[in-house]
Amino acid sequence: MVHSLLFVPAREKMLGKISGFEADGYVIDLEDSIRREEKGEALANAVHFLEQPGRGDRTLFVRLNKENYMEEAERLGKFAGLGFMLPKFEDGGEYLEGRKIWEEHSVMALIETPKGLVRLPSIAEENWVDGLAFGAEDYTAAVNMGNRFQNLSYQKNRLVTYARAYGKTVYDTPSFQTGDWDAFTAEVDNAVELGFDGKLSIHPKHVGYINAAFSREDLGKLREIVQEYENCGQAVLVFGGRPYERMHIERFRRILRENGGI
C-alpha cells in the first residue's frame, strides 16, 4: 500500500534526488512549484527523467496544469505505469478531453476548492478516477479560514466517505508544518484516525513518520483476531475484553491485505 506520496518539483536537480528518498511514491510536479515561464522546461525535465532506465516499480504520478493538461498528458501518456494527478478538480465532467489517456493510467483527483468539495459526488462516481486527494492550502485560502487540521474535519470526512463509497484510494493534504514536529505528527495521526489511506508530503523528512503512522497497526494481533473470529462461529467475538463484529473483521482484513500481512 502506498502511504506516502512526496511532491518533487520537475527540476533536473530535484528529480535526480528521488533515488535517495524513501517515500512509497512520488508526484512529479508541473504545477504550483514551477513558475509559469518554466513550465515548458519542467515538462521536458519530466520526460527526460521518465525516459531513463531504472525507474523500476516506483509509484510515480505527475501533477499536471489545468490550463494545458492535454498537451502535458499527450507528452507523458506513453509512459506505462505513470499516474496523473489532476489539480483543482471541480466537476465530474472536467478533464474529459483526456479520457482515452486516463483509461490507460491511474488518475487522482485533487480537491482544492469549495466547488470541488460540494461537487465531490459527481467526481467520486467517475469510474476513470481512481483516487481522491485533498489540497487544504488552496482550499483554506479560498474560503478565508486557517489551515489547521482541527478546522477541517468536515472536509476530510467528506473525502474519506466518498472514497469508501466508490472504492477509491484517498490521501490527506500535505503538511506545511516543516518547523514544528509535534504539530506535524498531530496532523498525520489525525489523518490515520479519519481513515485516509495515506498522506501527501512536500518534505522528505516527513516521509518516515507518515509511513510508520499508517502502518503502526499490530498486524500480528489483527491476524490473530481475524483467525479467532473465523474459528468461533459466532456473530460477535470477544477478544481481550473487547467485542468484534463482522464490520471490524472486514476492516482488519483490508489492513492486513494492504500491508502484506495476509
Side-chain angles (χ1 to χ4, degrees), residues 63-82:
R63 178 164 67 166
L64 306 178
N65 290 282
K66 192 168 187 177
E67 296 82 4
N68 58 328
Y69 74 90
M70 275 304 300
E71 175 189 346
E72 295 167 343
E74 287 171 349
R75 288 281 303 278
L76 299 167
K78 64 181 180 180
F79 296 105
L82 180 67

Side-chain angles (χ1 to χ4, degrees), residues 9-12 15 28-31 34-51 62-65 68-79 82 84:
R11 298 191 179 93
E12 185 176 1
L15 294 173
I28 299 171
D29 190 26
L30 300 176
E31 199 213 18
I34 303 296
R35 294 186 302 175
R36 184 174 298 277
E37 60 269 25
E38 296 176 331
K39 300 289 187 183
E41 179 183 355
L43 178 57
N45 290 339
V47 170
H48 178 71
F49 173 78
L50 293 167
E51 287 175 337
V62 175
R63 178 164 67 166
L64 306 178
N65 290 282
N68 58 328
Y69 74 90
M70 275 304 300
E71 175 189 346
E72 295 167 343
E74 287 171 349
R75 288 281 303 278
L76 299 167
K78 64 181 180 180
F79 296 105
L82 180 67
F84 291 105

Side-chain angles (χ1 to χ4, degrees), residues 227-242:
Q227 190 64 54
E228 288 290 332
Y229 184 86
E230 291 173 346
N231 293 338
C232 77
Q234 303 294 322
V236 180
L237 165 73
V238 177
F239 185 95
R242 292 188 59 182

Side-chain angles (χ1 to χ4, degrees), residues 93-129:
E94 285 194 311
Y95 290 104
L96 289 181
E97 189 180 354
R99 183 69 176 266
K100 289 186 178 179
I101 298 174
W102 311 147
E103 289 175 352
E104 302 296 325
H105 298 268
S106 179
V107 173
M108 188 173 297
L110 188 54
I111 308 302
E112 304 178 86
T113 67
K115 192 175 290 184
L117 190 73
V118 300
R119 292 179 176 172
L120 192 55
S122 74
I123 298 170
E125 70 181 1
E126 291 289 345
N127 58 15
W128 54 272
V129 172

Side-chain angles (χ1 to χ4, degrees), residues 31-32 36 41 46-47 57 61 78 93 119 121 166 170 183 207 211 228 245 250 256:
E31 199 213 18
D32 282 351
R36 184 174 298 277
E41 179 183 355
V47 170
D57 297 327
F61 284 84
K78 64 181 180 180
R119 292 179 176 172
Y166 290 98
V170 60
V207 165
N211 289 340
E228 288 290 332
E245 299 180 54
E250 289 304 317
L256 288 166

